[in-house]
Amino acid sequence: MRVSPGLPSVSLTVKLMRAAAEALLLAALVGCAAPTPWVKPYEREHFADPIMSFNRDPVSSTYLQHVFETREGARGATGSVGGGCGCN
Amino acid sequence: MQLTREARGAHTRCAAGLSPFTRTLGTLCAIAAPALGGVLPEDRADVLWHVYKGGDITIQGPSVLVRKKVGDNLSLSANYYEDMISSASIDVKLSASPYHETRRQGSLGADYLHGKSTYSAGFITSKEPDYKANTSYFAVSQDMFGDLTTVTLGYRRGWDRVFKDRKDPVSGRIVTDSVFNNNLGHNSADHRGYSLSLSQILTRNAILGFNYELLTDQGYLANPYREIRYLSPGLGPGFTLADQVYPNTRTSYAATAQLKYYLPYRAALTGQYRYFHDTWGILAHTVELDYTQPVLRHWILDGSLRYYRQGAADFYSDLFPRANYQNFMARDRELAAFRSYTVGAGAAWQFAMPGVPSLGKNSINVRVDHLLVDYSDFRNALLVGTYGAGNEPLYKLNANIFQVFVSIWF
């Protein structure tokens, strides 16, 4: 059996990044006429509670992620997301 | 091959796994991810001590993370991380010798807030005796739709230099192998990463997170200390060890969806799933469930369950039929097919610093995780004398992971 893992999909990468940029641009343009938020700022108190953070203790979650990623073939897309909480 | 046998052993890359670039991904979480669109992270310092024990490996060390605002729009962060490794793992016992070494990693990051946008940039450097890695990154986050939605685009670039150590036959000292990579003495690997993240408030109690990340690697991606084995009936134990041959490129795709829900009695439930595949033929699924429950006035308890499953890389085999069986050959168990299960629990005690009004929020935290890795096609080759080559029992890894850390908000 001859195995030929593919070359880096540079063209695919470019396409994906272009699609992401277009999506962001579109979202920004749509944002100019943003719909009324269906969750009002005064209804978001739960998102200001630390227990609702996707990454409450970065120093700990980073370490645990490191433990997994060095023992598994999979990697990436584990960066915590967040924001949009309107708690500022 | 003889050099490999005499080498000091499988270093951090062996003990701790695959590409060090993946390590930087985690660091990016610590110093970059908290930078959310529209709001800067809190000023905070964390001092952590970590211990990993399992598979005849002990890895421990500190991690210190400090984040501080400068003015209203800029937040700076710095992290120092250390792995002190003592390894006599199954890989080391098969083709090298037990060893001790330290990996040190430092990083600096900055987040600049402008309106509803946050611009983040930073640099990470990692150093161990036989591996040096540098990574830089940039990301931009944007709040939109009345701050219900945050979109983040990120880019990172890494440059690694790979060395190989060996034991000098005359002096007995560990020296860098000067003939490694056709007398160059080192090899190189480049990495690029592209990410898209989205967080979306769904209801007053639920928030959705989505991450997509594409990573590409080019250069020397193998572990210079580990070896494949192939059948050689009648010779030695029935198999022979030989150098691994890896492809020089790899591209991987990963997507994660997270849903976090606030329960009516002040508790949080999180479910997440990650899909992963790459050009090496690895397909992986990760499912995780986390539960957070504040109790009494000052305690927060956490519990988590994680399930991970992956298929083997196309060029992986525990035992190849013969030498030079195919163009690429590997026996790194991180490329094998396996399932892993992790159960974890943590507790945080929150307190105010007595006599220091400015330090009204602090916490002491402990966390314990147990990891079981159940390999489907990686055998314990050390038992070949009892069972014969190819008939050894499948290997299982049991590990305990401890963390103790103090957090101070200031």
Side-chain angles (χ1 to χ4, degrees), chain B residues 120-404:
Chain B
S120 305
F123 182 74
I124 304 164
T125 184
S126 171
K127 203 173 194 178
E128 56 197 292
D130 52 1
Y131 208 101
K132 302 181 188 349
N134 293 308
T135 302
S136 60
Y137 67 89
F138 176 77
V140 58
S141 296
Q142 175 73 39
D143 272 6
M144 53 186 70
F145 305 136
D147 297 343
L148 290 181
T149 307
T150 301
V151 177
T152 305
L153 288 175
Y155 172 75
R156 63 197 56 160
R157 180 79 197 271
W159 303 266
D160 298 355
R161 295 183 80 190
V162 189
F163 300 84
K164 185 178 181 183
D165 287 349
R166 65 176 177 85
K167 187 181 282 185
D168 186 276
V170 179
S171 67
R173 296 176 59 184
I174 302 300
V175 296
T176 299
D177 188 350
S178 59
V179 300
F180 180 50
N181 190 26
N182 297 322
N183 296 320
L184 277 176
H186 72 274
N187 232 314
S188 303
D190 286 358
H191 314 278
R192 293 166 202 248
Y194 309 86
S195 63
L196 168 67
S197 300
L198 170 82
S199 78
Q200 176 68 55
I201 290 178
L202 299 175
T203 70
R204 57 195 303 173
N205 295 315
I207 184 168
L208 175 73
F210 175 78
N211 286 319
Y212 174 81
E213 190 154 47
L214 185 152
L215 298 168
T216 66
D217 313 289
Q218 190 155 24
Y220 186 81
L221 306 178
N223 184 321
Y225 300 104
R226 290 193 185 173
E227 297 178 313
I228 62 153
R229 59 177 191 152
Y230 60 86
L231 272 173
S232 54
L235 287 176
F239 66 79
T240 302
L241 297 174
D243 289 342
Q244 297 194 111
V245 185
Y246 266 52
N248 286 327
T249 60
R250 182 189 189 193
T251 300
S252 68
Y253 316 88
T256 301
Q258 300 170 290
L259 181 65
K260 200 168 187 84
Y261 191 79
Y262 188 94
L263 298 167
Y265 50 91
R266 199 192 168 210
L269 187 63
T270 309
Q272 65 175 290
Y273 167 75
R274 178 177 68 173
Y275 173 84
F276 172 92
H277 80 276
D278 68 8
T279 53
W280 288 0
I282 297 175
L283 177 65
H285 305 276
T286 310
V287 179
E288 185 169 337
L289 201 60
D290 301 281
Y291 181 74
T292 304
Q293 175 68 67
V295 293
L296 304 175
R297 273 190 64 190
H298 300 291
W299 289 86
I300 296 179
L301 305 181
D302 289 289
S304 64
L305 294 170
R306 182 179 186 272
Y307 170 72
Y308 174 86
R309 188 183 77 187
Q310 78 172 43
D314 294 336
F315 52 94
Y316 170 89
S317 176
D318 178 63
L319 182 60
F320 287 93
R322 55 179 167 79
N324 303 315
Y325 180 67
Q326 55 193 43
N327 52 347
F328 298 121
M329 297 187 288
R331 192 178 173 266
D332 277 319
R333 57 191 153 107
E334 292 80 13
L335 305 187
F338 64 86
R339 296 165 190 245
S340 84
Y341 310 85
T342 309
V343 55
W349 177 59
Q350 298 175 316
F351 64 100
M353 197 74 78
V356 188
S358 60
L359 299 181
K361 183 183 174 186
N362 313 279
S363 67
I364 296 174
N365 311 263
V366 294
R367 183 176 174 93
V368 181
D369 289 87
H370 180 76
L371 169 68
L372 166 65
V373 183
D374 195 358
Y375 293 93
S376 305
D377 57 357
F378 180 79
R379 296 182 180 277
N380 187 343
L382 300 175
L383 300 178
V384 64
T386 306
Y387 298 93
N391 295 315
E392 306 94 334
L394 292 167
Y395 186 64
K396 278 187 170 60
L397 170 69
N398 274 285
N400 290 312
I401 305 153
F402 305 95
Q403 299 177 70
V404 180

